[in-house]
Amino acid sequence: MQSNSTPANPLASSFLGPLQKAEHLASHLSRRCGAIADSDFLLSGIHRVLDATDSGRDHLQKMAASLPVTVKRSSYFESLKSKRRLAHTQEISRNITNVMGEVIPDLLAKALPLLDEYEVFAGDGHWHSHATHDKATSSTGGKYAMGHLYGLNLRTQGLFHLTAADQKARNKEHDMRGLKRQTIKDLRQGTATGRKVIWLWDPAGIDLRQWYRWKQAGGIYFISPVKKNMLIEEGNAPMPYDQTDPLNDGVLGDYLWAGNSCGVPMRLVHYRDPITGKEFHFVTSLTNSDIAPGVIAHLYRMRWDIEKVFDDVKNKLHETKAWASSETAKSNQANLICISHNLIRLFEKQMEIDHGLVNEGEKRRKSKRMAREKSKQEKKGEHLPVLFELLQRTTQASVKFIRWIRYSVFGQTCESTAIASLRCCYANL
């Protein structure tokens, strides 16, 4: 097959610019194989994520009509289950995530310079329904959903795939079991030597002894709410903290927790959310008192960003179902979802820089929500936490923008018309 994977539309070329940069940096050499070149395989996968097609055949037919790429059905599905292509796709995904740091503003660096030596990742599991041709996994003929573990870099907003769940030994793999299969290199995600890593995970990611090992061997830390069945009243040595520091608004206590069941040094932060009034206990391997307890609590609040990204994937990109049956194919799909999400966020920022295109309607709605929260706090004689205001940012891609990419960027619309269309959409819809 003759490859010509660079679209003629200048906007499409701009959208795919970070992808081409990532391919240039890849150590896994791209192949122009007779079935489908690696560059075409990537373009095809991105197009499928963006176009919300009903099936693989539907995708191939639409792609043939709108892109300079024609792929046979058998070649396409064979490529999806290729382990060599998976290694290439994983590296491209990592490279694009790194590119995001050059474009997306790092609000953590501005608001919390005390975290400058840390990379901060939010992690969680996310499920796609089974593929059409998956084998039945129960006596009733049922098929299990496919789980994945994803991470989100909270500095760059880059989404990345950690692993597909093991469905050979487990019908539904627990998050911590999947995490334990990761190497220190996997968990550090290319973080430079000398920098540390913080993972924010829900209680499904708690294994105190394992996180202590990762801390000792790889400079990898975690923050999580304690599990409901964890005994936290024993062995708590109070740690001094500055109660007048605005960063510690809502903190009720900070403790070195030596009495946990695993006998490894951990830290407990008792926190009341100033907005909702709900109380939380957070456990962390960050036992260094240089990091204020209020910062630990607010970092976990930011873990919600990955849930918002999953909402984008499910409800805006409509990626709810596995494309194929093999674990390799499902991992390829997960990495292509990450690549597509990251390209969307980069392109949205690039449109703002190059053309001043900003979703002013969403900015106004966000400002109104902030004003309402401030008013509620003032009526109670309180104020919003300082970090709540400093770290306000857009964490989701606009559905208007995603639709515009579908309809204009890969279509035949000229650049000036497409830009005018988005400007009108932001102003009126």
Side-chain angles (χ1 to χ4, degrees):
M1 184 201 72
Q2 189 68 28
S3 170
N4 181 20
S5 59
T6 303
N9 188 328
L11 283 177
S13 297
S14 179
F15 175 77
L16 294 171
L19 174 67
Q20 293 164 351
K21 183 175 181 179
E23 288 184 283
H24 179 72
L25 296 172
S27 59
H28 287 86
L29 294 178
S30 178
R31 292 186 187 176
R32 294 175 57 85
C33 82
I36 175 173
D38 283 345
S39 56
D40 289 339
F41 174 75
L42 291 166
L43 180 60
S44 166
I46 293 165
H47 194 262
R48 182 168 184 179
V49 173
L50 288 171
D51 205 36
T53 46
D54 295 328
S55 66
R57 292 173 185 268
D58 181 23
H59 160 63
L60 292 176
Q61 187 169 348
K62 285 186 178 181
M63 188 175 67
S66 60
L67 293 177
V69 179
T70 303
V71 183
K72 292 182 179 179
R73 179 193 59 79
S74 58
S75 300
Y76 173 72
F77 284 102
E78 284 299 316
S79 296
L80 271 178
K81 63 183 182 182
S82 164
K83 291 185 177 179
R84 184 198 64 79
R85 289 192 195 268
L86 175 58
H88 183 66
T89 305
Q90 287 171 329
E91 184 172 14
I92 296 300
S93 181
R94 284 193 298 270
N95 289 348
I96 291 177
T97 303
N98 292 337
V99 168
M100 294 186 78
E102 302 172 7
V103 180
I104 306 297
D106 181 1
L107 289 189
L108 280 176
K110 182 178 179 180
L112 291 170
L114 57 92
L115 291 177
D116 282 352
E117 62 182 288
Y118 294 90
E119 207 66 68
V120 186
F121 303 140
D124 201 5
H126 185 62
W127 294 82
H128 305 279
S129 66
H130 61 80
T132 300
H133 299 292
D134 277 357
K135 294 180 180 179
T137 52
S138 69
S139 57
T140 60
K143 300 178 181 180
Y144 288 103
M146 182 64 200
H148 297 271
L149 297 185
Y150 290 91
L152 183 73
N153 187 318
L154 293 184
R155 292 190 180 278
T156 68
Q157 293 293 288
L159 181 68
F160 56 90
H161 181 243
L162 273 175
T163 187
D166 175 10
Q167 292 194 308
K168 294 180 180 178
R170 294 286 192 282
N171 292 331
K172 186 175 181 181
E173 186 176 38
H174 192 277
D175 285 8
M176 197 62 216
R177 187 173 184 269
L179 279 171
K180 285 182 177 179
R181 289 191 280 107
Q182 306 308 296
T183 65
I184 287 175
K185 182 179 179 181
D186 294 330
L187 293 173
R188 288 185 61 84
Q189 284 293 307
T191 300
T193 302
R195 282 177 62 78
K196 303 170 187 176
V197 168
I198 299 173
W199 274 97
L200 314 173
W201 214 282
D202 67 16
I206 289 182
D207 184 322
L208 302 185
R209 187 170 286 113
Q210 182 60 60
W211 284 110
Y212 180 73
R213 293 191 191 104
W214 282 327
K215 171 184 174 178
Q216 296 297 101
I220 299 167
Y221 300 78
F222 88 109
I223 300 171
S224 174
V226 300
K227 293 180 179 179
K228 291 182 179 179
N229 62 351
M230 294 180 80
L231 186 64
I232 59 174
E233 287 78 18
E234 298 180 0
N236 298 336
M239 295 175 63
Y241 67 95
D242 185 355
Q243 298 184 34
T244 65
D245 187 345
L247 294 179
N248 290 324
D249 285 351
V251 174
L252 301 177
D254 190 16
Y255 308 95
L256 184 62
W257 185 30
N260 61 76
S261 60
C262 294
V264 293
M266 289 288 159
R267 182 180 182 182
L268 278 175
V269 173
H270 187 192
Y271 179 77
R272 179 188 293 120
D273 189 317
I275 298 174
T276 65
K278 292 182 180 180
E279 292 190 20
F280 301 89
H281 284 89
F282 296 104
V283 57
T284 178
S285 49
L286 286 161
T287 53
N288 186 343
S289 61
D290 289 346
I291 298 180
V295 171
I296 289 170
H298 195 85
L299 282 177
Y300 189 79
R301 181 199 293 274
M302 294 179 70
R303 198 198 72 86
W304 189 246
D305 286 4
I306 196 171
E307 302 289 355
K308 293 180 179 178
V309 171
F310 290 157
D311 180 70
D312 281 354
V313 170
K314 179 180 178 181
N315 295 315
K316 298 176 187 176
L317 296 173
H318 307 296
E319 280 297 322
T320 59
K321 182 177 180 179
W323 294 349
S325 294
S326 76
E327 181 180 321
T328 300
K330 290 171 178 174
S331 293
N332 259 319
Q333 177 187 0
N335 279 280
L336 287 164
I337 287 171
C338 293
I339 289 170
S340 301
H341 167 271
N342 294 342
L343 288 176
I344 290 168
R345 296 309 306 271
L346 283 167
F347 194 47
E348 193 170 29
K349 188 63 181 177
Q350 202 62 52
M351 288 295 99
E352 178 184 343
I353 294 170
D354 293 347
H355 301 281
L357 285 162
V358 178
N359 191 344
E360 295 292 349
E362 182 57 35
K363 285 182 68 176
R364 286 193 296 270
R365 285 189 287 272
K366 188 181 287 290
S367 296
K368 288 180 180 179
R369 287 194 295 268
M370 178 65 72
R372 284 197 300 269
E373 292 296 342
K374 282 185 177 181
S375 177
K376 288 179 184 178
Q377 293 300 101
E378 288 170 0
K379 288 178 181 178
K380 294 188 296 184
E382 299 178 1
H383 58 271
L384 282 177
V386 63
L387 289 179
F388 190 82
E389 296 190 70
L390 287 175
L391 292 171
Q392 281 295 308
R393 59 183 175 183
T394 301
T395 55
Q396 289 183 283
S398 162
V399 68
K400 297 177 185 178
F401 190 74
I402 291 173
R403 288 172 182 156
W404 175 73
I405 292 174
R406 285 193 188 121
Y407 304 149
S408 300
V409 172
F410 286 103
Q412 302 303 315
T413 309
C414 71
E415 182 176 8
S416 60
T417 302
I419 294 296
S421 171
L422 181 59
R423 199 179 302 278
C424 180
C425 178
Y426 278 166
N428 300 307
L429 296 181

